[in-house]
Amino acid sequence: MAASTAKKGAVQNSSKGKTIDFLTKNSMTIALVAVFILFAALTNGRLLYAQNMSNLLLQNGYVLVMACGMLLCILTGGNIDLSVGSVICMVGGLAAVLVTNLGWNPYLVIPICLIAGLAIGAWQGYWIGFVRIPPFITTLAGMFIFRGIGRLVLDNKTVPMQNASFNNLFTSYINIPGLDVISTKQAPVDNPHIWSPLLIGAVVVVLILLFTIKGRISKKRNGYHLNSSVVDYGKIAVIGALIMWYSWKLSEYKGISVMLLWVLAICLIYYFITSKTVIGRYFYAVGGNEKATKLSGINTNKIYFLAYSNMGLMAGLCGLLCLARVGSVSGQTGTSFEMDAIASCFIGGASAYGGSGTVGGVVIGALLLGVLNMGMSILGFTDSWQYVVKGGVLLVAVIFDVVSKRKKS
C-alpha cells in the first residue's frame, strides 16, 4: 500500500514537473497568444482585419532582421549593439542620395550599401574583438558617429526614394499570372481574388510535415529519443492551421509582400546558422564560458569580430528595407530601432548573460512587440503609454529569465 502510494506520488510529481517545464519553455509563446486574443477582443476584431494582419509582419520586418543579427551579439555574453539605428540612418541616407540625387543605378547602389554596413560592423568588431574595448562603449560611440555621418550625407534634409526598381525589390507584392486577379485603378475587376498566398501556404505546411516525418525516421534509425507522435503531429496541425489562417488573411488584402520573403529568408538563414553549423555553436560557447572556449582552441576574438560584422551587415539591409517601406529617409530615421531589436531578443528568451537564445524565440518576441504596438495604436494609446507598456514587458521578461536561472542553479 505504501509502495503504491509512493509510486503514485512520484508519477504526480513527474507530471507536475513536466507541466512546469513545458510552461517555462513556452512562456513567451503563451504570452503572445494571450496578448493577441486580448487585443482582438479589446479592438472588437479590428486587429484581425486583413490589412492589419498583413502590416503586422511588414511593419516589424526591420525588427526581425535586426534582431537576428543582434541575437549573435547577445549570445557572446549578453552584449548589445547600440549603433544599429544610426547605421540604418547612414546607409539609408547613402542609398537615397546616390539613387535620387545622383541618379545611380539602384542595382549598383544596393551592394554598395550592404558593403558599407558590413565595413561599419567590421570596424566596430575589430575594436571589440581584438582590442577588447567593451561593446557598450564601442557601439555607443558608433551611435553618435554614424548618426552624425548620416546627417552629413543627407545634408540635414529629408531625401525621398521614388525609384520604382528599388522600391519593387522590397515593397512589391507577388502576383502569379493566371492565378491572381487584382483590381487596380488602371484595370478594375468586379471579383478580384488572390490565391497565391493559399497555394504557397499549403506548400509550406506540406514541407514542414515532410521534414517532421523525415526527422522522426532519422531519429528512430539512429536510436535517439522520439517524442510522442501525438505531440509532434499535434504541433504540425496547430502550426499548419495558423499558417493557412494567415495565408487566408494575406489573400484578402494584397497577397504576399516581397519584404515578407526577405524577412523569412533572413530568419531561416539564421536559424540554420545557429542550430545546424559549427560556427553557430561557437557563439553559444563563448557566451556560456569564454575561458573554457578559448582553452579548447577556438579563437574567441574572431567570434566577437564576426558577431559585430554581421550586425553591421544586417543594419545595412534594414536601412534599405526602411527606405523602401517609408519612401524617404531623414536624420531621425532609425531612432531607437536598436531598442526594439534588443527587446525582441530578450523577450524571446535570449539570456541577459549570453549563451542561450533562439531565432524562433526572437520571432516570437518581435511579434509580441508588434501585436502590442498595433493593438495599442488601434485603441488610441499615445506613444508615451506604448513606451511604458513595452518597457514593462521587457523588464518582466528579463526578471523571468534571471529568476528561473537562479532556481535551476
Side-chain angles (χ1 to χ4, degrees):
M1 182 70 177
S4 176
T5 303
K7 184 177 181 180
K8 184 177 180 180
V11 171
Q12 290 176 343
N13 289 334
S14 176
S15 178
K16 183 179 179 181
K18 289 180 179 179
T19 301
I20 293 174
D21 186 54
F22 173 82
L23 293 175
T24 301
K25 288 182 177 179
N26 298 278
S27 57
M28 286 301 109
T29 304
I30 296 170
L32 172 60
V33 173
V35 169
F36 190 85
I37 294 173
L38 174 64
F39 277 108
L42 291 176
T43 60
N44 296 319
R46 283 178 291 168
L47 179 68
L48 303 178
Y49 288 175
Q51 183 174 356
N52 288 335
M53 288 296 95
S54 177
N55 289 336
L56 179 62
L57 277 180
L58 298 184
Q59 291 175 355
N60 294 279
Y62 74 91
V63 178
L64 284 165
V65 173
M66 283 192 302
C68 286
M70 191 70 71
L71 176 64
L72 299 188
C73 298
I74 291 173
L75 289 177
T76 60
N79 302 305
I80 57 176
D81 188 340
L82 295 174
S83 66
V84 172
S86 298
V87 176
I88 288 173
C89 172
M90 196 199 89
V91 173
L94 178 63
V97 169
L98 290 178
V99 175
T100 301
N101 293 356
L102 301 181
W104 285 32
N105 189 315
Y107 298 107
L108 175 63
V109 170
I110 289 172
I112 289 175
C113 290
L114 292 177
I115 292 171
L118 178 62
I120 291 170
W123 185 78
Q124 295 191 128
Y126 169 78
W127 297 112
I128 294 168
F130 296 103
V131 185
R132 289 300 175 137
I133 305 299
F136 183 87
I137 300 300
T138 303
T139 59
L140 179 62
M143 180 176 71
F144 293 118
I145 292 170
F146 301 120
R147 177 69 64 181
I149 294 175
R151 290 178 176 177
L152 289 173
V153 169
L154 292 165
D155 195 24
N156 289 313
K157 298 176 182 177
T158 297
V159 179
M161 171 57 74
Q162 298 175 337
N163 186 283
S165 298
F166 179 92
N167 291 331
N168 287 339
L169 284 173
F170 302 105
T171 60
S172 61
Y173 288 82
I174 294 175
N175 177 19
I176 300 178
L179 182 64
D180 297 329
V181 179
I182 302 174
S183 180
T184 64
K185 291 181 180 179
Q186 293 77 20
V189 179
D190 292 335
N191 296 305
H193 58 263
I194 307 171
W195 299 111
S196 54
L198 295 172
L199 176 61
I200 295 173
V203 171
V204 171
V205 172
V206 170
L207 288 175
I208 292 174
L209 177 61
L210 291 176
F211 280 123
T212 302
I213 294 173
K214 181 181 178 182
R216 287 181 60 84
I217 293 174
S218 177
K219 286 182 179 180
K220 186 176 182 180
R221 184 188 301 121
N222 294 304
Y224 294 133
H225 171 71
L226 273 177
N227 292 328
S228 167
S229 58
V230 175
V231 173
D232 280 346
Y233 293 121
K235 286 182 180 179
I236 298 301
V238 173
I239 293 171
L242 291 174
I243 290 175
M244 293 310 299
W245 176 80
Y246 190 71
S247 299
W248 175 257
K249 286 296 179 180
L250 293 180
S251 71
E252 290 183 328
Y253 184 52
K254 292 182 179 180
I256 297 177
S257 170
V258 173
M259 187 177 291
L260 178 58
L261 298 184
W262 278 95
V263 173
L264 290 177
I266 294 297
C267 290
L268 290 174
I269 290 170
Y270 279 84
Y271 169 78
F272 177 78
I273 291 173
T274 55
S275 62
K276 304 295 182 181
T277 66
V278 174
I279 191 68
R281 297 188 184 97
Y282 288 170
F283 289 105
Y284 288 96
V286 170
N289 191 325
E290 184 178 350
K291 290 183 179 179
T293 303
K294 194 170 185 178
L295 290 173
S296 68
I298 298 172
N299 188 339
T300 56
N301 294 346
K302 184 179 178 181
I303 299 303
Y304 282 106
F305 176 78
L306 289 176
Y308 283 89
S309 296
N310 168 77
M311 186 69 257
L313 178 62
M314 289 300 99
L317 177 58
C318 282
L320 300 177
L321 292 174
C322 291
L323 174 60
R325 177 160 178 79
V326 177
S328 64
V329 61
S330 70
Q332 296 301 317
T333 297
T335 301
S336 79
F337 279 18
E338 62 277 351
M339 298 306 171
D340 288 334
I342 295 167
S344 297
C345 291
F346 287 134
I347 292 172
S351 173
Y353 304 109
S356 67
T358 64
V359 172
V362 165
V363 172
I364 291 172
L367 289 178
L368 180 56
L369 282 179
V371 172
L372 285 172
N373 286 332
M374 182 169 288
M376 288 188 290
S377 295
I378 294 173
L379 292 174
F381 281 56
T382 62
D383 288 343
S384 302
W385 279 110
Q386 291 186 33
Y387 279 120
V388 170
V389 172
K390 288 193 291 186
V393 171
L394 174 60
L395 181 61
V396 169
V398 174
I399 290 173
F400 179 82
D401 172 62
V402 172
V403 172
S404 62
K405 278 182 169 52
R406 284 179 182 173
K407 287 182 178 180
K408 288 181 180 178
S409 61

